[in-house]
PDB file of all heavy atoms in Angstrom:
ATOM      1  N   TYR A  48     -43.012  43.578 -54.220  1.00  0.00           N
ATOM      2  CA  TYR A  48     -42.404  42.831 -55.395  1.00  0.00           C
ATOM      3  C   TYR A  48     -43.167  41.523 -55.420  1.00  0.00           C
ATOM      4  O   TYR A  48     -43.566  41.012 -56.611  1.00  0.00           O
ATOM      5  CB  TYR A  48     -40.972  42.616 -55.117  1.00  0.00           C
ATOM      6  CG  TYR A  48     -40.198  42.352 -56.429  1.00  0.00           C
ATOM      7  CD1 TYR A  48     -39.574  43.404 -57.114  1.00  0.00           C
ATOM      8  CD2 TYR A  48     -40.105  40.996 -56.801  1.00  0.00           C
ATOM      9  CE1 TYR A  48     -38.908  43.109 -58.335  1.00  0.00           C
ATOM     10  CE2 TYR A  48     -39.255  40.770 -57.948  1.00  0.00           C
ATOM     11  CZ  TYR A  48     -38.687  41.733 -58.679  1.00  0.00           C
ATOM     12  OH  TYR A  48     -38.042  41.521 -59.859  1.00  0.00           O
ATOM     13  N   CYS A  49     -43.328  40.825 -54.226  1.00  0.00           N
ATOM     14  CA  CYS A  49     -44.045  39.521 -54.291  1.00  0.00           C
ATOM     15  C   CYS A  49     -45.537  39.750 -54.730  1.00  0.00           C
ATOM     16  O   CYS A  49     -46.138  38.785 -55.393  1.00  0.00           O
ATOM     17  CB  CYS A  49     -43.963  39.001 -52.875  1.00  0.00           C
ATOM     18  SG  CYS A  49     -42.386  38.358 -52.416  1.00  0.00           S
ATOM     19  N   LEU A  50     -46.172  40.864 -54.430  1.00  0.00           N
ATOM     20  CA  LEU A  50     -47.503  41.083 -54.811  1.00  0.00           C
ATOM     21  C   LEU A  50     -47.687  41.172 -56.203  1.00  0.00           C
ATOM     22  O   LEU A  50     -48.590  40.633 -56.845  1.00  0.00           O
ATOM     23  CB  LEU A  50     -47.987  42.413 -54.147  1.00  0.00           C
ATOM     24  CG  LEU A  50     -49.412  42.729 -54.131  1.00  0.00           C
ATOM     25  CD1 LEU A  50     -50.319  41.717 -53.364  1.00  0.00           C
ATOM     26  CD2 LEU A  50     -49.695  44.127 -53.619  1.00  0.00           C
ATOM     27  N   MET A  51     -46.645  41.906 -56.884  1.00  0.00           N
ATOM     28  CA  MET A  51     -46.705  42.012 -58.362  1.00  0.00           C
ATOM     29  C   MET A  51     -46.715  40.643 -59.038  1.00  0.00           C
ATOM     30  O   MET A  51     -47.597  40.241 -59.855  1.00  0.00           O
ATOM     31  CB  MET A  51     -45.479  42.836 -58.927  1.00  0.00           C
ATOM     32  CG  MET A  51     -45.642  44.215 -58.542  1.00  0.00           C
ATOM     33  SD  MET A  51     -44.398  45.175 -59.442  1.00  0.00           S
ATOM     34  CE  MET A  51     -42.835  44.245 -59.242  1.00  0.00           C
ATOM     35  N   LEU A  52     -45.759  39.845 -58.621  1.00  0.00           N
ATOM     36  CA  LEU A  52     -45.563  38.470 -59.333  1.00  0.00           C
ATOM     37  C   LEU A  52     -46.745  37.631 -58.938  1.00  0.00           C
ATOM     38  O   LEU A  52     -47.155  36.680 -59.656  1.00  0.00           O
ATOM     39  CB  LEU A  52     -44.221  37.880 -58.820  1.00  0.00           C
ATOM     40  CG  LEU A  52     -43.048  38.700 -59.313  1.00  0.00           C
ATOM     41  CD1 LEU A  52     -41.701  37.951 -58.893  1.00  0.00           C
ATOM     42  CD2 LEU A  52     -42.892  38.746 -60.923  1.00  0.00           C
ATOM     43  N   GLY A  53     -47.298  37.731 -57.661  1.00  0.00           N
ATOM     44  CA  GLY A  53     -48.345  36.908 -57.133  1.00  0.00           C
ATOM     45  C   GLY A  53     -49.561  37.146 -57.899  1.00  0.00           C
ATOM     46  O   GLY A  53     -50.344  36.318 -58.341  1.00  0.00           O
ATOM     47  N   ASP A  54     -49.822  38.589 -58.157  1.00  0.00           N
ATOM     48  CA  ASP A  54     -51.082  39.015 -58.876  1.00  0.00           C
ATOM     49  C   ASP A  54     -51.001  38.497 -60.357  1.00  0.00           C
ATOM     50  O   ASP A  54     -51.999  38.032 -60.871  1.00  0.00           O
ATOM     51  CB  ASP A  54     -51.190  40.569 -58.840  1.00  0.00           C
ATOM     52  CG  ASP A  54     -51.802  41.006 -57.587  1.00  0.00           C
ATOM     53  OD1 ASP A  54     -52.151  40.090 -56.654  1.00  0.00           O
ATOM     54  OD2 ASP A  54     -51.633  42.219 -57.305  1.00  0.00           O
ATOM     55  N   ASP A  55     -49.940  38.562 -60.956  1.00  0.00           N
ATOM     56  CA  ASP A  55     -49.616  38.013 -62.417  1.00  0.00           C
ATOM     57  C   ASP A  55     -50.057  36.578 -62.395  1.00  0.00           C
ATOM     58  O   ASP A  55     -50.956  36.293 -63.261  1.00  0.00           O
ATOM     59  CB  ASP A  55     -48.208  38.097 -62.832  1.00  0.00           C
ATOM     60  CG  ASP A  55     -47.650  39.555 -63.058  1.00  0.00           C
ATOM     61  OD1 ASP A  55     -48.556  40.474 -63.265  1.00  0.00           O
ATOM     62  OD2 ASP A  55     -46.537  39.741 -63.026  1.00  0.00           O
ATOM     63  N   ALA A  56     -49.612  35.811 -61.410  1.00  0.00           N
ATOM     64  CA  ALA A  56     -49.909  34.428 -61.476  1.00  0.00           C
ATOM     65  C   ALA A  56     -51.444  34.167 -61.141  1.00  0.00           C
ATOM     66  O   ALA A  56     -52.100  33.228 -61.785  1.00  0.00           O
ATOM     67  CB  ALA A  56     -49.105  33.654 -60.458  1.00  0.00           C
ATOM     68  N   LEU A  57     -51.968  34.927 -60.190  1.00  0.00           N
ATOM     69  CA  LEU A  57     -53.352  34.596 -59.827  1.00  0.00           C
ATOM     70  C   LEU A  57     -54.275  34.918 -60.955  1.00  0.00           C
ATOM     71  O   LEU A  57     -55.252  34.052 -61.271  1.00  0.00           O
ATOM     72  CB  LEU A  57     -53.689  35.491 -58.555  1.00  0.00           C
ATOM     73  CG  LEU A  57     -55.025  35.400 -58.251  1.00  0.00           C
ATOM     74  CD1 LEU A  57     -55.469  34.109 -57.567  1.00  0.00           C
ATOM     75  CD2 LEU A  57     -55.344  36.486 -57.117  1.00  0.00           C
ATOM     76  N   ILE A  58     -54.114  36.159 -61.689  1.00  0.00           N
ATOM     77  CA  ILE A  58     -54.970  36.561 -62.660  1.00  0.00           C
ATOM     78  C   ILE A  58     -54.794  35.629 -63.887  1.00  0.00           C
ATOM     79  O   ILE A  58     -55.862  35.210 -64.440  1.00  0.00           O
ATOM     80  CB  ILE A  58     -54.791  37.933 -62.923  1.00  0.00           C
ATOM     81  CG1 ILE A  58     -55.062  38.832 -61.789  1.00  0.00           C
ATOM     82  CG2 ILE A  58     -55.638  38.383 -64.230  1.00  0.00           C
ATOM     83  CD1 ILE A  58     -56.492  38.705 -61.137  1.00  0.00           C
ATOM     84  N   MET A  59     -53.621  35.334 -64.307  1.00  0.00           N
ATOM     85  CA  MET A  59     -53.406  34.382 -65.406  1.00  0.00           C
ATOM     86  C   MET A  59     -54.049  32.964 -65.170  1.00  0.00           C
ATOM     87  O   MET A  59     -54.565  32.386 -66.104  1.00  0.00           O
ATOM     88  CB  MET A  59     -51.835  34.197 -65.735  1.00  0.00           C
ATOM     89  CG  MET A  59     -51.631  33.363 -66.900  1.00  0.00           C
ATOM     90  SD  MET A  59     -52.315  33.925 -68.561  1.00  0.00           S
ATOM     91  CE  MET A  59     -50.991  35.154 -69.038  1.00  0.00           C
ATOM     92  N   SER A  60     -53.908  32.523 -63.952  1.00  0.00           N
ATOM     93  CA  SER A  60     -54.372  31.193 -63.692  1.00  0.00           C
ATOM     94  C   SER A  60     -55.944  31.248 -63.804  1.00  0.00           C
ATOM     95  O   SER A  60     -56.508  30.384 -64.275  1.00  0.00           O
ATOM     96  CB  SER A  60     -54.194  30.940 -62.139  1.00  0.00           C
ATOM     97  OG  SER A  60     -54.853  29.639 -61.747  1.00  0.00           O
ATOM     98  N   HIS A  61     -56.569  32.377 -63.341  1.00  0.00           N
ATOM     99  CA  HIS A  61     -57.989  32.421 -63.446  1.00  0.00           C
ATOM    100  C   HIS A  61     -58.494  32.305 -64.939  1.00  0.00           C
ATOM    101  O   HIS A  61     -59.355  31.707 -65.267  1.00  0.00           O
ATOM    102  CB  HIS A  61     -58.550  33.670 -62.833  1.00  0.00           C
ATOM    103  CG  HIS A  61     -60.083  33.748 -62.784  1.00  0.00           C
ATOM    104  ND1 HIS A  61     -60.755  33.109 -61.867  1.00  0.00           N
ATOM    105  CD2 HIS A  61     -60.967  34.423 -63.598  1.00  0.00           C
ATOM    106  CE1 HIS A  61     -62.036  33.304 -62.024  1.00  0.00           C
ATOM    107  NE2 HIS A  61     -62.232  34.191 -63.181  1.00  0.00           N
ATOM    108  N   ARG A  62     -57.712  32.998 -65.783  1.00  0.00           N
ATOM    109  CA  ARG A  62     -58.067  33.091 -67.256  1.00  0.00           C
ATOM    110  C   ARG A  62     -57.861  31.611 -67.786  1.00  0.00           C
ATOM    111  O   ARG A  62     -58.654  31.351 -68.632  1.00  0.00           O
ATOM    112  CB  ARG A  62     -57.159  34.017 -67.990  1.00  0.00           C
ATOM    113  CG  ARG A  62     -57.565  35.417 -67.936  1.00  0.00           C
ATOM    114  CD  ARG A  62     -58.945  35.681 -68.441  1.00  0.00           C
ATOM    115  NE  ARG A  62     -59.328  37.130 -68.413  1.00  0.00           N
ATOM    116  CZ  ARG A  62     -60.560  37.566 -68.326  1.00  0.00           C
ATOM    117  NH1 ARG A  62     -61.457  36.688 -67.870  1.00  0.00           N
ATOM    118  NH2 ARG A  62     -60.847  38.804 -68.335  1.00  0.00           N
ATOM    119  N   LEU A  63     -56.861  30.940 -67.332  1.00  0.00           N
ATOM    120  CA  LEU A  63     -56.487  29.590 -67.903  1.00  0.00           C
ATOM    121  C   LEU A  63     -57.668  28.655 -67.329  1.00  0.00           C
ATOM    122  O   LEU A  63     -58.050  27.753 -68.122  1.00  0.00           O
ATOM    123  CB  LEU A  63     -55.150  29.019 -67.502  1.00  0.00           C
ATOM    124  CG  LEU A  63     -54.047  29.756 -68.028  1.00  0.00           C
ATOM    125  CD1 LEU A  63     -52.727  29.247 -67.659  1.00  0.00           C
ATOM    126  CD2 LEU A  63     -54.089  29.923 -69.625  1.00  0.00           C
ATOM    127  N   GLN A  64     -58.154  28.745 -66.078  1.00  0.00           N
ATOM    128  CA  GLN A  64     -59.193  27.932 -65.478  1.00  0.00           C
ATOM    129  C   GLN A  64     -60.428  28.119 -66.329  1.00  0.00           C
ATOM    130  O   GLN A  64     -61.285  27.166 -66.515  1.00  0.00           O
ATOM    131  CB  GLN A  64     -59.486  28.336 -64.126  1.00  0.00           C
ATOM    132  CG  GLN A  64     -58.300  28.060 -63.184  1.00  0.00           C
ATOM    133  CD  GLN A  64     -58.569  28.784 -61.774  1.00  0.00           C
ATOM    134  OE1 GLN A  64     -59.622  28.825 -61.304  1.00  0.00           O
ATOM    135  NE2 GLN A  64     -57.572  29.231 -61.229  1.00  0.00           N
ATOM    136  N   GLN A  65     -60.730  29.297 -66.979  1.00  0.00           N
ATOM    137  CA  GLN A  65     -61.923  29.439 -67.809  1.00  0.00           C
ATOM    138  C   GLN A  65     -61.861  28.641 -69.137  1.00  0.00           C
ATOM    139  O   GLN A  65     -62.927  28.537 -69.726  1.00  0.00           O
ATOM    140  CB  GLN A  65     -61.989  30.891 -68.129  1.00  0.00           C
ATOM    141  CG  GLN A  65     -62.303  31.790 -66.920  1.00  0.00           C
ATOM    142  CD  GLN A  65     -62.395  33.300 -67.157  1.00  0.00           C
ATOM    143  OE1 GLN A  65     -61.637  33.802 -68.147  1.00  0.00           O
ATOM    144  NE2 GLN A  65     -63.175  33.998 -66.532  1.00  0.00           N
ATOM    145  N   TRP A  66     -60.665  28.092 -69.412  1.00  0.00           N
ATOM    146  CA  TRP A  66     -60.508  27.203 -70.573  1.00  0.00           C
ATOM    147  C   TRP A  66     -61.002  25.844 -70.310  1.00  0.00           C
ATOM    148  O   TRP A  66     -61.154  25.078 -71.260  1.00  0.00           O
ATOM    149  CB  TRP A  66     -59.038  27.258 -71.122  1.00  0.00           C
ATOM    150  CG  TRP A  66     -58.828  28.308 -72.045  1.00  0.00           C
ATOM    151  CD1 TRP A  66     -58.347  29.536 -71.641  1.00  0.00           C
ATOM    152  CD2 TRP A  66     -59.175  28.357 -73.365  1.00  0.00           C
ATOM    153  NE1 TRP A  66     -58.134  30.237 -72.829  1.00  0.00           N
ATOM    154  CE2 TRP A  66     -58.624  29.630 -73.820  1.00  0.00           C
ATOM    155  CE3 TRP A  66     -59.702  27.579 -74.432  1.00  0.00           C
ATOM    156  CZ2 TRP A  66     -58.859  29.980 -75.264  1.00  0.00           C
ATOM    157  CZ3 TRP A  66     -59.810  27.835 -75.613  1.00  0.00           C
ATOM    158  CH2 TRP A  66     -59.400  29.119 -76.081  1.00  0.00           C
ATOM    159  N   CYS A  67     -61.239  25.395 -69.061  1.00  0.00           N
ATOM    160  CA  CYS A  67     -61.622  24.016 -68.693  1.00  0.00           C
ATOM    161  C   CYS A  67     -62.849  23.754 -69.333  1.00  0.00           C
ATOM    162  O   CYS A  67     -63.886  24.389 -69.340  1.00  0.00           O
ATOM    163  CB  CYS A  67     -61.709  23.890 -67.253  1.00  0.00           C
ATOM    164  SG  CYS A  67     -60.058  23.947 -66.288  1.00  0.00           S
ATOM    165  N   THR A  68     -62.926  22.576 -69.953  1.00  0.00           N
ATOM    166  CA  THR A  68     -64.100  21.987 -70.904  1.00  0.00           C
ATOM    167  C   THR A  68     -64.192  22.674 -72.186  1.00  0.00           C
ATOM    168  O   THR A  68     -65.131  22.440 -72.973  1.00  0.00           O
ATOM    169  CB  THR A  68     -65.544  22.108 -70.101  1.00  0.00           C
ATOM    170  OG1 THR A  68     -65.885  23.449 -70.185  1.00  0.00           O
ATOM    171  CG2 THR A  68     -65.355  21.643 -68.658  1.00  0.00           C
ATOM    172  N   ARG A  69     -63.356  23.529 -72.517  1.00  0.00           N
ATOM    173  CA  ARG A  69     -63.473  24.256 -73.844  1.00  0.00           C
ATOM    174  C   ARG A  69     -62.310  24.020 -74.793  1.00  0.00           C
ATOM    175  O   ARG A  69     -62.269  24.629 -75.894  1.00  0.00           O
ATOM    176  CB  ARG A  69     -63.530  25.802 -73.530  1.00  0.00           C
ATOM    177  CG  ARG A  69     -64.648  26.180 -72.728  1.00  0.00           C
ATOM    178  CD  ARG A  69     -64.805  27.591 -72.416  1.00  0.00           C
ATOM    179  NE  ARG A  69     -65.833  27.930 -71.516  1.00  0.00           N
ATOM    180  CZ  ARG A  69     -66.103  29.156 -71.111  1.00  0.00           C
ATOM    181  NH1 ARG A  69     -65.293  30.199 -71.405  1.00  0.00           N
ATOM    182  NH2 ARG A  69     -67.087  29.386 -70.339  1.00  0.00           N
TER     183      ARG A  69
END
Side-chain angles (χ1 to χ4, degrees):
Y48 204 89
C49 290
L50 191 68
M51 293 192 311
L52 297 178
D54 284 350
D55 288 341
L57 177 67
I58 300 303
M59 180 63 84
S60 174
H61 187 79
R62 282 302 187 211
L63 295 181
Q64 292 167 43
Q65 292 175 326
W66 274 96
C67 289
T68 74
R69 300 177 182 178

